[in-house]
Amino acid sequence: MQTSIPNWLMQRAFLTPERIAVQDERGQKTFAELHEAVVTRARQLASLGVRKGDIVALLMKNSIAMIETIHALHYIGATVLLQNTRLTSHELLWQLEDSGAKFWFFDDEFEKCANEISTIQMMKTSELSMLPEQECEFQHEYHFDDVATIMYTSGTTGTPKGVLQTYGNHWWSAIGSVLNLGLYENDCWLAAVPFFHISGLSIIMRSVIYGMSMYVMNRFDAGKANDIIMNGNITVMSVVSSMLQQMIAELGDRTYPNTFRCMLLGGGPAPQPLLEACRDKGIPVYQTYGMTETASQIVTLAPEYSITKLGSAGKPLFPAQIRIENEGQIVRPYEPGEIVVKGPNVTKGYLDRPEATKRAIRDGWFYTGDIGYVDDEGFLYVLDRRSDLIISGGENVYPAEIEAVLLSHEAVEEAGVTGISDEKWGQVPCAFIKLKEGYSVNVSQVKAFCQERLAKYKVPKHIYFVDELPRNAAKKLLRRQLLQLIPKSEET
Amino acid sequence: MQTSIPNWLMQRAFLTPERIAVQDERGQKTFAELHEAVVTRARQLASLGVRKGDIVALLMKNSIAMIETIHALHYIGATVLLQNTRLTSHELLWQLEDSGAKFWFFDDEFEKCANEISTIQMMKTSELSMLPEQECEFQHEYHFDDVATIMYTSGTTGTPKGVLQTYGNHWWSAIGSVLNLGLYENDCWLAAVPFFHISGLSIIMRSVIYGMSMYVMNRFDAGKANDIIMNGNITVMSVVSSMLQQMIAELGDRTYPNTFRCMLLGGGPAPQPLLEACRDKGIPVYQTYGMTETASQIVTLAPEYSITKLGSAGKPLFPAQIRIENEGQIVRPYEPGEIVVKGPNVTKGYLDRPEATKRAIRDGWFYTGDIGYVDDEGFLYVLDRRSDLIISGGENVYPAEIEAVLLSHEAVEEAGVTGISDEKWGQVPCAFIKLKEGYSVNVSQVKAFCQERLAKYKVPKHIYFVDELPRNAAKKLLRRQLLQLIPKSEET
């Protein structure tokens, strides 16, 4: 029997109406007030024709209005497609077409993208509030198998796929987290990571499930984040390494109030000096491993292990399991293999991609494509993200996607992309190109070509022209050997 | 798709092996140690022939050994029938036969019951540890639809029925509670209520789901319970009114450490003087409403409302819903009717009682048979068990309401009210009162006190002073046995 429980925000507005639900630098709303705002927004969306089952795309920056719009779409029973605001018009349009989205709402600043997209009903979010209200039927219960949200990831193939996140996935992710981190009466979660990523969206879900306050930052700023924490009301914050690094640098000699109890660090392993600096400042860092397909963290390292188990992502959350496989066999501790995960927080698959879904999920286990091992106590160590995933400032960058763009240039015969260490961003993409005979093109021309087609963080920071790319006998590109070409080639 | 998650204690032994799981006055065990003991016990049970799917009855008093036996049976995949230790041999046998239990294990002190029961394979619990061990397959995952435990209740009809409690029911009960009460790193739950009642068993479940320590009392003793709390390691305790009353009296001028954060009070509405005494002592009382069929609390009142919403059981836990029905219609606030509840913590029915199940559960809603109303903010007020309803001259009279008035009299320690036949009115209310030591009051004084506070038809027509009220093992008042006190007591 499918699990159904009351609509989360409605239940909060009933059970804990006077608690603060959301706040930002301009103000705050209780759960009752948030519910009121969401009802209004839902009726406005209904008047536009948004109906239960529709896929509705949002291109918005973090704001209380974005939270309201997501909840409003869930009140109606629509599925929310969350788009990365750094994508190009080309990339956005691709997602809209692939998903069959019926509506597209964007913050005013993205209007110029809108001019290039005309195939879908769209509206500026600032105009939504001017719409008339129309009565509509609300979802008073959420069904755990229903799809709440969709986020696109590229994975190994380079073709973005829409990850289906059900209400059940979000619920179980929140519950797995609470059983690990606990829940205190005064908890307030600082949300400076984007809501279009699962790290940010999951804070919105926890807020209504826990009845917990969240503080919304429109964009991350290390100084402001530190000031907000120093004010004493924040107890938990989600970050990636590059954010934490900036915050530690900005913090100077100050230390956080001791009510601050969790710095949840995702987006790849953290450098030891950063962890040591946090330890010295008494900042409790919880390193995590997770992905869009697991509806946020699935493995977390408690702070007491952050130095002794340096480099480990920790152990699974309570409802989840992990194992390491090599050629279909579970391997022994310390032997590397593919990280395979299971749990009710794991996606049921990809939108309209039955084959990709079947490849990724077998017997209830999700094959992450990431490489790692567990030690003899069961702590997970992630060696390499799925097929050469580059993590740059917390954003996932897929080499195959950049290679596909490079290969679409008339002068390019072959292209290979890999990550290279970068002090500020952790990693940045680096491209190796073999030109077609008789063609000539320079680095800035290639970068300009990419900038039109790729989000800025995906544009290769370094480009090298080479005579040959490393390939195995089957001619498969060996991305991990690309960096060895650097000394031989002419840097740019 | 059915939800399955890792075996709870096994997962705890993996994730948080060194945390204290259970303790009593003689010692303590970590989750790793508890798991070890459970593996041994499970293998001993397997050597006796206990198999997956068997129903196994336990007649035990609270102890760490009882916790181990319950987990061991779950490791094997057996269903545990928990029996009230105050039942007669006749009643115990009835349950064993009705349930088709294959094994029966009892603490040594209940041996004389065993002599009267010979139809089933049985063993003293002290002898289990002498059994050889036999390898057996363990349940590495718990399936939410599988029945974990059975407890018999009489309900409104008087015929005991076995309530099926699934792993999912226990899980959701624990999660509903944590989303209401929070979860602190130092939490330790004092278990002085019996494990054969859901109030006690649910503490065992929360302990392994939360990774939380629990302190086991073999039997309730107000002085000892106070001493344990005063030691400073207890943060939460489950009680019923009469236990709390004794503890407050015994406590004298002392106050609990401020780390003690929740007194979870079940088993019916609490008298105002008790709540006021707790408020004055800074004891945070959470009044609750729940039953065997809801796998413990389903409605809970936060302490900030314990005086302003006096007599209310509060609002539903997050995953649950309530409504009040009268003749199939949902009634308006303040109108009394049957309390109907819904949620994933609610039983799927009664063992081998399809008709009773169909009567009790309709469209996913469970009909409790209890009478109550909700106020305009949605707070539930439980008026009475339907079977205790007194109908006098066409007016509905709820015993609990009269008892609350009697309990507010300074001389009254305990009060119980039931209906008695009356030639003129059909039934009239009849009160039984236990006076506080050193107080003296007569019948006309009590009647005058009531007349000031109750409509005339609610004032007890007969009042008896007694030494003790009939209560079950959970200290719940047994109103149906009150009339048996009449011949023994001095009529008025």
Side-chain angles (χ1 to χ4, degrees):
Chain A
M1 200 179 60
Q2 189 184 164
T3 304
S4 302
I5 62 170
N7 175 316
W8 303 338
L9 174 56
M10 281 187 196
Q11 185 78 332
R12 276 294 152 208
F14 168 49
L15 297 181
T16 53
E18 282 152 41
R19 278 194 210 160
I20 303 305
V22 290
Q23 45 189 311
D24 64 11
E25 56 186 355
R26 286 172 308 173
Q28 58 185 39
K29 280 184 181 168
T30 64
F31 283 101
E33 290 163 346
L34 182 62
H35 165 70
E36 295 270 309
V38 165
V39 166
T40 301
R41 176 56 48 104
R43 288 180 177 152
Q44 289 163 338
L45 292 167
S47 79
L48 205 61
V50 177
R51 295 287 174 270
K52 185 172 160 68
D54 288 348
I55 293 178
V56 178
L58 296 185
L59 185 68
M60 297 178 74
K61 282 200 168 169
N62 281 13
S63 65
I64 292 178
M66 183 174 182
I67 296 173
E68 290 167 359
T69 308
I70 293 169
H71 286 311
L73 289 165
H74 287 164
Y75 272 38
I76 295 174
T79 298
V80 186
L81 167 58
L82 293 142
Q83 294 192 301
N84 189 322
T85 55
R86 301 175 68 183
L87 297 183
T88 63
S89 307
H90 180 82
E91 294 166 309
L92 293 169
L93 181 59
W94 194 93
Q95 290 186 5
L96 294 174
E97 287 178 347
D98 183 72
S99 64
K102 286 212 180 151
F103 296 88
W104 187 53
F105 304 121
F106 52 90
D107 280 348
D108 298 19
E109 61 183 290
F110 304 113
E111 197 169 2
K112 74 172 202 309
C113 293
N115 295 334
E116 301 170 39
I117 296 174
S118 58
T119 55
I120 187 171
Q121 198 173 345
M122 60 176 77
M123 187 171 269
K124 280 195 258 183
T125 51
S126 62
E127 291 170 350
L128 291 176
S129 51
M130 291 179 276
L131 289 170
E133 295 182 36
Q134 183 184 305
E135 284 293 322
C136 67
E137 205 181 314
F138 290 147
Q139 281 202 104
H140 286 274
E141 293 188 356
Y142 288 156
H143 304 286
F144 272 26
D145 287 347
D146 288 355
V147 178
T149 49
I150 297 172
M151 290 178 186
Y152 273 79
T153 58
S154 292
T156 53
T157 60
T159 311
K161 301 184 291 282
V163 178
L164 304 173
Q165 296 161 335
T166 63
Y167 288 95
N169 294 152
H170 290 303
W171 173 270
W172 280 95
S173 169
I175 296 305
S177 182
V178 83
L179 293 178
N180 187 44
L181 301 181
L183 178 61
Y184 290 53
E185 211 179 343
N186 65 342
D187 270 342
C188 180
W189 204 302
L190 180 55
V193 284
F195 295 152
F196 56 73
H197 280 325
I198 188 60
S199 56
L201 182 68
S202 61
I203 302 171
I204 299 177
M205 299 298 173
R206 290 183 202 113
S207 166
V208 288
I209 291 170
Y210 302 168
M212 175 190 71
S213 187
M214 64 184 288
Y215 192 106
V216 181
M217 289 191 83
N218 190 249
R219 49 177 288 280
F220 172 68
D221 176 285
K224 276 192 191 167
N226 279 335
D227 289 347
I228 293 166
I229 295 175
M230 295 301 287
N231 279 342
N233 296 324
I234 302 297
T235 59
V236 187
M237 181 183 186
S238 299
V239 290
V240 296
S241 289
S242 60
M243 290 166 69
L244 186 54
Q245 218 137 16
Q246 291 175 56
M247 288 172 73
I248 294 296
E250 203 278 337
L251 194 60
D253 291 337
R254 297 175 294 168
T255 54
Y256 293 146
N258 60 14
T259 44
F260 183 82
R261 66 186 189 84
C262 170
M263 188 67 89
L264 194 65
L265 174 62
Q272 180 155 12
L274 177 61
L275 294 173
E276 283 169 352
C278 288
R279 185 196 52 194
D280 295 346
K281 285 191 165 295
I283 300 173
V285 175
Y286 290 73
Q287 294 172 83
T288 71
Y289 167 72
M291 63 211 77
T292 310
E293 286 91 337
T294 60
S296 117
Q297 26 153 358
I298 187 163
V299 175
T300 302
L301 186 71
E304 59 263 41
Y305 296 108
S306 73
I307 302 296
T308 56
K309 296 283 183 182
L310 184 80
S312 171
K315 289 183 177 178
L317 295 186
F318 191 80
Q321 299 171 68
I322 55 169
R323 63 190 195 201
I324 308 294
E325 280 193 25
N326 203 347
E327 293 176 357
Q329 299 296 311
I330 299 172
V331 301
R332 280 170 301 188
Y334 298 105
E335 257 183 62
E338 183 171 7
I339 302 167
V340 188
V341 302
K342 183 178 179 179
N345 57 317
V346 175
T347 181
K348 59 181 183 180
Y350 301 103
L351 180 66
D352 299 330
R353 297 282 194 286
E355 284 309 315
T357 300
K358 232 182 274 177
R359 267 198 307 278
I361 303 172
R362 290 169 252 159
D363 275 340
W365 289 83
F366 175 74
Y367 286 74
T368 65
D370 294 340
I371 304 299
Y373 66 89
V374 291
D375 69 13
D376 49 8
E377 292 179 272
F379 285 88
L380 174 70
Y381 291 76
V382 181
L383 291 173
D384 218 334
R385 293 300 292 236
R386 59 181 94 180
S387 1
D388 319 309
L389 175 68
I390 302 165
I391 303 183
S392 186
E395 295 280 1
N396 287 353
V397 179
Y398 299 94
E401 192 182 354
I402 303 170
E403 287 160 6
V405 167
L406 292 170
L407 287 168
S408 71
H409 189 288
E410 57 168 12
V412 174
E413 170 125 18
E414 292 180 34
V417 171
T418 189
I420 189 167
S421 300
D422 182 274
E423 215 169 281
K424 180 165 183 194
W425 303 109
Q427 282 187 299
V428 291
C430 174
F432 298 83
I433 292 169
K434 180 185 172 190
L435 291 175
K436 287 179 185 164
E437 259 192 64
Y439 282 86
S440 155
V441 69
N442 66 29
V443 165
S444 50
Q445 287 170 322
V446 175
K447 284 193 180 175
F449 182 82
C450 289
Q451 272 151 10
E452 279 174 35
R453 290 159 178 85
L454 290 169
K456 199 177 166 196
Y457 62 85
K458 299 179 189 170
V459 174
K461 293 291 167 294
H462 309 279
I463 294 172
Y464 301 94
F465 295 106
V466 297
D467 296 331
E468 203 184 354
L469 293 180
R471 294 186 182 276
N472 68 8
K475 299 293 171 205
K476 199 183 144 195
L477 180 65
L478 299 170
R479 290 203 187 88
R480 266 169 239 166
Q481 295 181 17
L482 284 170
L483 291 182
Q484 296 168 14
L485 298 178
I486 292 181
K488 295 179 214 156
S489 58
E490 190 185 325
E491 157 108 59
T492 48
Chain B
M1 200 178 63
Q2 189 183 164
T3 304
S4 300
I5 62 171
N7 175 316
W8 303 337
L9 175 56
M10 282 187 195
Q11 185 79 332
R12 276 293 153 208
F14 168 48
L15 298 180
T16 53
E18 282 153 40
R19 279 193 209 161
I20 303 305
V22 291
Q23 45 188 313
D24 64 10
E25 56 186 356
R26 287 172 306 172
Q28 60 185 38
K29 279 183 181 168
T30 64
F31 282 102
E33 290 163 346
L34 182 62
H35 166 71
E36 294 272 306
V38 165
V39 166
T40 301
R41 175 56 48 102
R43 288 179 176 154
Q44 290 164 337
L45 292 167
S47 79
L48 204 61
V50 177
R51 295 289 174 269
K52 185 173 159 68
D54 287 348
I55 293 177
V56 178
L58 298 185
L59 185 69
M60 299 179 74
K61 281 197 167 170
N62 282 14
S63 65
I64 291 177
M66 184 175 182
I67 295 173
E68 290 167 359
T69 309
I70 292 170
H71 286 310
L73 289 165
H74 287 164
Y75 271 38
I76 296 174
T79 299
V80 186
L81 167 59
L82 294 141
Q83 294 193 300
N84 188 321
T85 56
R86 301 177 71 183
L87 296 182
T88 63
S89 306
H90 180 82
E91 293 167 308
L92 293 169
L93 181 59
W94 193 93
Q95 289 185 3
L96 293 174
E97 288 178 345
D98 182 72
S99 64
K102 287 210 179 155
F103 297 88
W104 187 52
F105 304 122
F106 52 89
D107 280 349
D108 298 19
E109 62 183 290
F110 304 113
E111 197 169 4
K112 76 175 198 309
C113 293
N115 295 333
E116 301 169 40
I117 295 173
S118 57
T119 54
I120 187 170
Q121 197 172 345
M122 61 177 79
M123 188 170 268
K124 279 195 259 185
T125 50
S126 62
E127 291 170 350
L128 291 176
S129 50
M130 291 179 276
L131 289 170
E133 296 183 36
Q134 183 185 305
E135 285 292 322
C136 67
E137 203 181 315
F138 290 147
Q139 282 202 106
H140 287 273
E141 293 188 358
Y142 287 157
H143 304 285
F144 273 26
D145 287 348
D146 289 354
V147 178
T149 49
I150 297 171
M151 291 179 187
Y152 275 79
T153 57
S154 295
T156 53
T157 62
T159 310
K161 301 184 291 281
V163 178
L164 304 173
Q165 296 161 335
T166 63
Y167 288 95
N169 294 153
H170 289 303
W171 173 270
W172 280 96
S173 170
I175 296 305
S177 182
V178 84
L179 292 178
N180 187 44
L181 301 181
L183 178 61
Y184 290 53
E185 211 179 345
N186 64 342
D187 270 342
C188 180
W189 204 301
L190 179 55
V193 285
F195 295 153
F196 56 74
H197 280 320
I198 189 60
S199 55
L201 181 68
S202 60
I203 302 171
I204 298 177
M205 299 299 172
R206 289 182 203 115
S207 166
V208 288
I209 291 170
Y210 303 168
M212 175 191 71
S213 187
M214 63 184 287
Y215 192 107
V216 181
M217 290 191 81
N218 190 249
R219 50 176 287 280
F220 173 68
D221 177 285
K224 276 191 190 166
N226 279 335
D227 290 347
I228 293 166
I229 294 175
M230 295 301 288
N231 279 342
N233 296 323
I234 301 296
T235 58
V236 187
M237 181 184 188
S238 300
V239 290
V240 297
S241 289
S242 61
M243 290 165 70
L244 186 53
Q245 219 138 17
Q246 290 176 56
M247 289 172 73
I248 294 296
E250 204 277 338
L251 194 60
D253 290 337
R254 297 176 294 169
T255 53
Y256 292 146
N258 59 14
T259 44
F260 183 82
R261 66 184 189 85
C262 169
M263 188 67 89
L264 194 66
L265 174 61
Q272 179 156 14
L274 176 60
L275 295 172
E276 283 169 352
C278 288
R279 184 196 53 192
D280 294 347
K281 285 189 165 298
I283 300 172
V285 174
Y286 290 73
Q287 295 173 83
T288 70
Y289 166 72
M291 62 211 78
T292 309
E293 287 91 338
T294 60
S296 119
Q297 28 153 359
I298 187 164
V299 175
T300 301
L301 185 71
E304 61 262 41
Y305 296 109
S306 72
I307 303 294
T308 56
K309 296 284 182 181
L310 182 81
S312 171
K315 289 182 177 178
L317 295 186
F318 191 80
Q321 301 170 68
I322 56 169
R323 64 189 195 201
I324 307 295
E325 281 193 24
N326 202 347
E327 293 177 357
Q329 299 296 310
I330 299 172
V331 301
R332 280 170 301 187
Y334 297 106
E335 256 183 61
E338 183 170 6
I339 301 168
V340 188
V341 302
K342 183 178 180 179
N345 57 317
V346 174
T347 181
K348 59 181 182 179
Y350 301 103
L351 180 66
D352 298 331
R353 296 280 194 291
E355 284 310 314
T357 300
K358 231 182 274 179
R359 264 198 309 277
I361 304 171
R362 288 168 252 160
D363 275 341
W365 289 83
F366 174 74
Y367 287 73
T368 65
D370 294 340
I371 304 299
Y373 65 88
V374 291
D375 68 13
D376 49 8
E377 293 178 89
F379 285 87
L380 175 70
Y381 291 76
V382 181
L383 291 172
D384 223 325
R385 280 269 165 193
R386 168 168 285 185
S387 53
D388 292 326
L389 182 68
I390 303 167
I391 303 181
S392 188
E395 295 280 0
N396 287 353
V397 180
Y398 300 101
E401 190 183 354
I402 302 169
E403 287 161 8
V405 166
L406 292 170
L407 286 168
S408 70
H409 190 290
E410 58 165 11
V412 175
E413 170 122 21
E414 293 181 38
V417 171
T418 190
I420 190 167
S421 301
D422 183 88
E423 228 175 84
K424 185 169 181 190
W425 304 109
Q427 277 189 305
V428 291
C430 174
F432 298 82
I433 291 169
K434 180 187 170 188
L435 291 176
K436 287 181 188 164
E437 259 192 63
Y439 281 85
S440 156
V441 67
N442 65 31
V443 165
S444 49
Q445 286 169 322
V446 175
K447 284 193 180 172
F449 182 81
C450 290
Q451 273 152 7
E452 279 174 35
R453 289 161 178 83
L454 289 169
K456 199 176 167 197
Y457 65 86
K458 297 182 188 170
V459 175
K461 294 294 169 293
H462 308 279
I463 294 173
Y464 301 93
F465 296 104
V466 296
D467 294 329
E468 203 184 354
L469 293 179
R471 295 186 182 273
N472 70 6
K475 305 292 174 203
K476 199 176 138 188
L477 180 65
L478 299 169
R479 290 205 186 87
R480 261 171 254 167
Q481 295 182 15
L482 284 169
L483 293 180
Q484 295 168 14
L485 297 178
I486 293 181
K488 295 180 218 154
S489 57
E490 190 185 321
E491 160 97 66
T492 47

